[in-house]
Amino acid sequence: MPILVTTPNGTVGRYLTEALRDRRDVRFLVRSEAGAKALGKVRGEVFRGDVTDAADIRGAVAGVDRLYLAHPFTEDQVAAETNLGLAAIEAGARRIIKLGARAFSGDGIVPDAVTSAHDTITERLRSAGVPELTVLQPDRFLQNFLPAAASIAKGTLAGPAGPGARGYVDVRDIAEVAIAELLAAHPIGGEIEISGPQTLTLPVLCERFGAVLGRPVRYVDIPLDGAWRAALADRGITPTAPCGSLPRPIPPDWPWPVAPWHLYARGHEDSHRRRLQ
């Protein structure tokens, strides 16, 4: 069952790489020599190619049976993922595990463009008739807070989250589900929502991070005003894109436990402290 892993150095992809690096039947798609070096030693194949180049895409998917499909949220995400997925299906791939996102919903939650892009890609893959399609729909990544460490060091975490609570999730849990779906003889398939064990607002999360780090951290809400929208527009993001429909919840007998926020925080405490110094 030849497997193609895209974004093998990505936030989630790096953990797939760690789990699959000793398998001969895995191909890792990287864009540059730097990306290849970042992978480290792998037993399978490292394929250098550009996901916007048709010839590179054909080479990457040749002979592949299963595909882990992911791409950064950029202007070309829809085109890149769609073209790669459709090429894989045309080349005979039977299973695609797509990294998506949990839909935003509830009071105080503003529709976002991220979910809309994933919905568009997913619909195109379904329309192409892929035999086995799993769409992972995780909530917000806990690791997304690492770049804010400098601000946290000053006692502040700012963001436009509003009053809504999220089920913040460790990306290692997401990778574990992706690997299980890739390797399973009979995958669960469909849309799989992945969330942390609690839904937390950012003020509450700041309190708990502060307790772990030993310093108070307060949350500052960024107004969703014209300046915020203009900043997103400069990055090619449309903040009012529709969210799409909610996926089904995690089954009661879900076989992969998810990590609570405090295990993530303690597991990354040294990293946070280095950044805070």
Side-chain angles (χ1 to χ4, degrees), residues 34-269:
K37 289 182 179 179
L39 282 179
K41 186 177 180 180
V42 296
R43 197 173 185 184
E45 177 188 357
V46 178
F47 186 96
R48 279 188 58 185
D50 188 333
V51 294
T52 65
D53 183 276
D56 285 352
I57 289 175
R58 288 194 296 270
V61 302
V64 166
D65 181 67
R66 302 179 186 188
L67 167 66
Y68 169 73
L69 182 62
H71 191 275
F73 179 55
T74 55
E75 285 187 32
D76 65 347
Q77 179 189 10
V78 172
E81 286 197 41
T82 300
N83 292 339
L84 192 56
L86 295 182
I89 296 169
E90 185 177 347
R94 292 191 49 79
R95 183 180 303 177
I96 294 178
I97 313 301
K98 174 179 161 38
L99 178 62
R102 186 181 181 188
F104 287 57
S105 65
D107 294 339
I109 299 295
V110 175
D112 75 309
V114 176
T115 311
S116 179
H118 288 306
D119 287 347
T120 299
I121 298 162
T122 299
E123 184 56 36
R124 292 178 182 177
L125 295 177
R126 286 193 181 123
S127 297
V130 57
E132 297 174 346
L133 176 63
T134 298
V135 182
L136 307 180
Q137 296 181 320
D139 214 318
R140 290 284 185 88
F141 299 172
L142 279 166
Q143 278 77 358
N144 286 349
F145 293 107
L146 286 172
S151 177
I152 293 173
K154 299 176 183 178
T156 301
L157 176 63
R166 306 295 310 212
Y168 296 98
V169 62
D170 193 314
V171 298
R172 292 170 292 188
D173 291 326
I174 303 167
E176 186 174 350
V177 179
I179 293 163
E181 286 290 280
L182 274 173
L183 302 182
H186 304 287
I188 292 175
E191 296 173 337
I192 300 177
E193 183 177 299
I194 306 172
S195 174
Q198 292 178 290
T199 56
L200 302 171
T201 63
L202 279 179
V204 171
L205 192 62
C206 282
E207 290 176 6
R208 299 190 181 186
F209 272 126
V212 172
L213 296 173
R215 67 187 72 213
V217 179
R218 68 188 182 95
Y219 173 65
V220 176
D221 190 40
I222 296 176
L224 301 178
D225 54 14
W228 176 80
R229 295 177 186 279
L232 288 185
D234 288 342
R235 295 165 52 197
I237 301 173
T238 305
T240 55
C243 289
S245 58
L246 282 171
R248 71 173 188 251
I250 298 175
D253 57 348
W254 188 243
W256 304 287
V258 293
W261 69 271
H262 63 273
L263 293 184
Y264 159 80
R266 288 170 183 160
H268 288 80
E269 185 173 3

